[in-house]
Amino acid sequence: MDPVNILCVKWGTKYGPEYVNKLHSMVQRNMSRPYRFVCLTDDETGIDPAIETFALPPIGIPEFDAATGWTRLHGWLKVTVFAVPLYDLTGPTLFLDVDIVITGALDEFFDPPGDFIVIKEWDKRDETGNTSVFRFTAGAHAALIADLAKSLDTVQRDYRNEQEFVTSWFSRQGKISYWPKSWCVSFKRHCMHRGIMGFFKPARIPEGAKVVVFHGKPNPPDAIIGRSGKWYRRVLPVDWVRELWR
């Protein structure tokens, strides 16, 4: 069986190297097929030497090549994973955000057919996906970068963030599909108990979940100690995050 790719991006100072190292460890415990684990980063300090690291690839757009990203909006540089070539990576590639907790086997993410498979954004009715977990073929989507380069100002005006542009682009190509709903869940929306029950019961893992996405606040280390990060949301300490995020 040919190896597949597991890919993540870390740049700037929002997430330290421990996020990459813990992600690598979680993947090791939840993948049975052969794979390469690769991190694209602007600073490999503290990242486990067992992890393959490459610099964020240049894509010919000055704002991105200078690692400033969406200069007027969000600064994430995940769109650089669509660079062609993407170093020596080819074939099926599963992108994972570094601030997730893996709760089940990942092998099945490589089974469904499709050009671009992503989480369906939970609070949107349109085609928007959440790019915390998506699969694509490395080196196969040069047109996305070309379209972004020739219309950067328009894109920045029309799209609130990077994932909206990426999922809209694949939707217009007729190449988007979505993971089964149970596979990727939101910590805030699906794991935490609603209303007053959140004051008495800690967050749980929904049945069938393979990945828990931490978007906004709290982050995994916050959930471990019961820190919400928001005055209006109570989070009790979550033992399963402590056990799995390592």
Side-chain angles (χ1 to χ4, degrees), residues 113-121 126-131 133-136 141 163-179:
D115 294 290
F116 178 78
I117 312 178
V118 68
I119 303 169
K120 179 68 180 70
E121 182 59 61
D126 60 15
E127 75 279 357
T128 302
N130 182 299
T131 55
V133 181
F134 65 88
R135 199 192 78 209
F136 68 109
H141 303 293
Q163 73 179 12
E164 289 186 358
F165 164 70
V166 169
T167 54
S168 174
W169 188 89
F170 277 104
S171 178
R172 294 194 305 273
Q173 311 303 310
K175 295 181 177 180
I176 195 170
S177 54
Y178 303 97
W179 304 120

Side-chain angles (χ1 to χ4, degrees), residues 58-188:
I59 59 173
I61 303 176
E63 292 89 342
F64 285 79
D65 294 348
T68 54
W70 301 87
T71 51
R72 292 191 297 106
L73 301 172
H74 295 259
W76 301 114
L77 293 170
K78 285 195 287 189
V79 76
T80 61
V81 305
F82 299 107
V84 179
L86 185 60
Y87 296 102
D88 65 336
L89 275 72
T90 59
T93 302
L94 183 67
F95 179 90
L96 300 174
D97 267 350
V98 295
D99 58 336
I100 64 170
V101 172
I102 298 174
T103 57
L106 296 178
D107 297 76
E108 286 185 279
F109 283 94
F110 291 94
D111 292 339
D115 294 290
F116 178 78
I117 312 178
V118 68
I119 303 169
K120 179 68 180 70
E121 182 59 61
W122 303 288
D123 58 357
K124 295 267 189 157
R125 294 180 179 268
D126 60 15
E127 75 279 357
T128 302
N130 182 299
T131 55
S132 294
V133 181
F134 65 88
R135 199 192 78 209
F136 68 109
T137 300
H141 303 293
L144 183 149
I145 299 296
D147 287 350
L148 178 62
K150 70 183 180 184
S151 57
L152 183 62
D153 288 342
T154 301
V155 167
Q156 289 184 321
R157 183 189 68 229
D158 293 346
Y159 293 96
R160 190 169 55 92
N161 55 39
E162 193 176 54
Q163 73 179 12
E164 289 186 358
F165 164 70
V166 169
T167 54
S168 174
W169 188 89
F170 277 104
S171 178
R172 294 194 305 273
Q173 311 303 310
K175 295 181 177 180
I176 195 170
S177 54
Y178 303 97
W179 304 120
K181 288 183 178 180
S182 64
W183 286 13
C184 303
V185 299
S186 159
F187 179 79
K188 290 186 292 190

Side-chain angles (χ1 to χ4, degrees), residues 14-15 19 99 214-224 227-228:
K14 183 174 183 179
Y15 300 108
Y19 277 81
D99 58 336
F214 286 75
H215 49 105
K217 295 288 186 179
N219 285 318
D222 300 318
I224 289 172
R227 180 172 57 202
S228 167

